[in-house]
């Protein structure tokens, strides 16, 4: 083996030897070196083919998500006021991320902030401190208590969930998406597009709050 590794030109001009060399191959008896090499290359090609198919699948999924985020951005741009922004975001998210449940709540800033878009308190912010401090989405791995904070009475129907914090200089609120499928939102899934989602919605809400503050 060592000799052949250091003299890899050994078989040049001696191709007939490749056909005469037999290698043990389990229950199938013996095969020629050429046949064995062909089989090894075929196996390697299968592995490469599977990897390419996986990459193509990821590329298609990313392209689809990019398109859905684009539609979300257009919908947010066309929204008139905070109510329209929240309604548009909820509707788009149910479709874009194939969620069964979507919660979009804001944290009240004043005593007057008491409409349907505002959470009753800051429980979610306090319960998910790490997510709001890092401003990164949290996928899966949630306890029943976590789900209760995000979805309230729906907790028994939610098997997996993701939390997207909304924040600019300070926490604004959160988006929570839930699924009946346990594997839909899992800790290992990518969060890049979820981060973009949070930034888009945050900017739209911030703009509405600034406009309302000026009127």
């Amino acid at each position: 083996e060592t000799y052949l590794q250091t003299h890899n030109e050994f078989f040049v001009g001696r191709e007939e030897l490749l056909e005469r060399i037999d290698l043990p191959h389990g229950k199938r008896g013996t095969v020629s070196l050429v046949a064995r090499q062909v089989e090894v290359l075929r196996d390697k090609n299968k592995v490469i083919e599977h990897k390419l198919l996986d990459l193509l699948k990821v590329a298609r999924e990313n392209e689809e998500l990019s398109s859905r985020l684009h539609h979300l951005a257009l919908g947010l741009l066309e929204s008139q006021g905070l109510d329209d922004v929240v309604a548009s975001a909820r509707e788009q998210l149910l479709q874009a991320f194939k969620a069964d449940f979507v919660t979009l709540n804001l944290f009240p800033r004043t005593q007057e902030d008491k409409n349907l878009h505002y959470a009753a308190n800051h429980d979610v912010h306090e319960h998910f401190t790490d997510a709001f401090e890092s401003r990164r989405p949290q996928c899966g791995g949630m306890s029943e208590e976590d789900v209760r904070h995000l979805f309230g009475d729906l907790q028994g129907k939610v098997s997996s969930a993701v939390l997207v914090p909304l924040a600019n200089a300070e926490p604004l609120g959160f988006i929570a998406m839930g699924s009946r499928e346990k594997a839909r939102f899992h800790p290992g899934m990518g969060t890049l597009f979820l981060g973009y989602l949070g930034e888009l919605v945050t900017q739209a809400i911030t703009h509405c709050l600034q406009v309302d503050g000026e009127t």
Side-chain angles (χ1 to χ4, degrees):
E1 178 183 353
T2 302
Y3 178 82
L4 290 177
Q5 286 178 343
T6 56
H7 298 79
N8 49 28
E9 77 286 355
F10 177 80
F11 288 107
V12 177
R14 301 184 178 95
E15 286 78 6
E16 73 281 357
L17 289 176
L18 293 174
E19 294 290 350
R20 301 209 308 262
I21 293 176
D22 290 333
L23 298 176
H25 199 262
K27 295 180 180 179
R28 291 165 49 187
T30 59
V31 294
S32 71
L33 182 57
V34 169
R36 180 62 179 142
Q37 287 178 320
V38 169
E39 186 175 357
V40 169
L41 289 174
R42 187 181 295 115
D43 290 340
K44 287 184 178 179
N45 284 337
K46 287 181 180 179
V47 172
I48 293 173
E49 183 180 356
H50 286 309
K51 288 183 178 180
L52 286 174
L53 289 175
D54 288 340
L55 288 173
L56 286 173
K57 180 181 178 181
V58 171
R60 291 192 191 98
E61 290 175 350
N62 287 343
E63 183 178 4
E64 185 178 354
L65 282 172
S66 295
S67 176
R68 289 173 177 175
L69 282 177
H70 176 68
H71 286 301
L72 172 62
L74 292 177
L76 293 175
L77 287 173
E78 295 172 356
S79 299
Q80 302 293 324
L82 185 60
D83 291 349
D84 207 10
V85 165
V86 173
S88 177
R90 283 174 175 161
E91 180 181 356
Q92 295 276 351
L93 292 177
L94 284 169
Q95 301 175 8
F97 287 89
K98 301 177 182 177
D100 295 314
F101 312 101
V102 172
T103 300
L104 199 169
N105 279 345
L106 305 181
F107 299 136
R109 299 166 301 152
T110 67
Q111 292 295 325
E112 288 72 33
D113 293 336
K114 293 182 179 179
N115 65 29
L116 294 176
H117 306 319
Y118 289 92
N121 49 51
H122 280 63
D123 280 356
V124 171
H125 178 210
E126 296 169 356
H127 189 77
F128 294 95
T129 303
D130 291 343
F132 280 94
E133 288 184 351
S134 66
R135 300 191 180 186
R136 293 179 180 176
Q138 178 177 332
C139 296
M142 295 188 186
S143 65
E144 291 186 7
E145 184 180 4
D146 295 335
V147 174
R148 179 179 59 79
H149 275 83
L150 297 177
F151 299 97
D153 295 339
L154 292 173
Q155 68 178 91
K157 301 179 180 180
V158 178
S159 297
S160 63
V162 57
L163 165 70
V164 181
L166 304 176
N168 44 33
E170 59 184 17
L172 286 179
F174 66 94
I175 294 171
M177 291 179 285
S179 173
R180 293 186 176 91
E181 299 177 12
K182 190 172 183 179
R184 177 65 188 90
F185 299 113
H186 55 87
M189 69 182 296
T191 59
L192 179 65
F193 287 97
L194 291 172
Y196 292 159
L197 160 67
E199 292 175 4
L200 283 172
V201 178
T202 293
Q203 289 300 317
I205 291 174
T206 299
H207 174 71
C208 290
L209 293 176
Q210 289 174 344
V211 170
D212 290 345
E214 292 173 0
T215 57

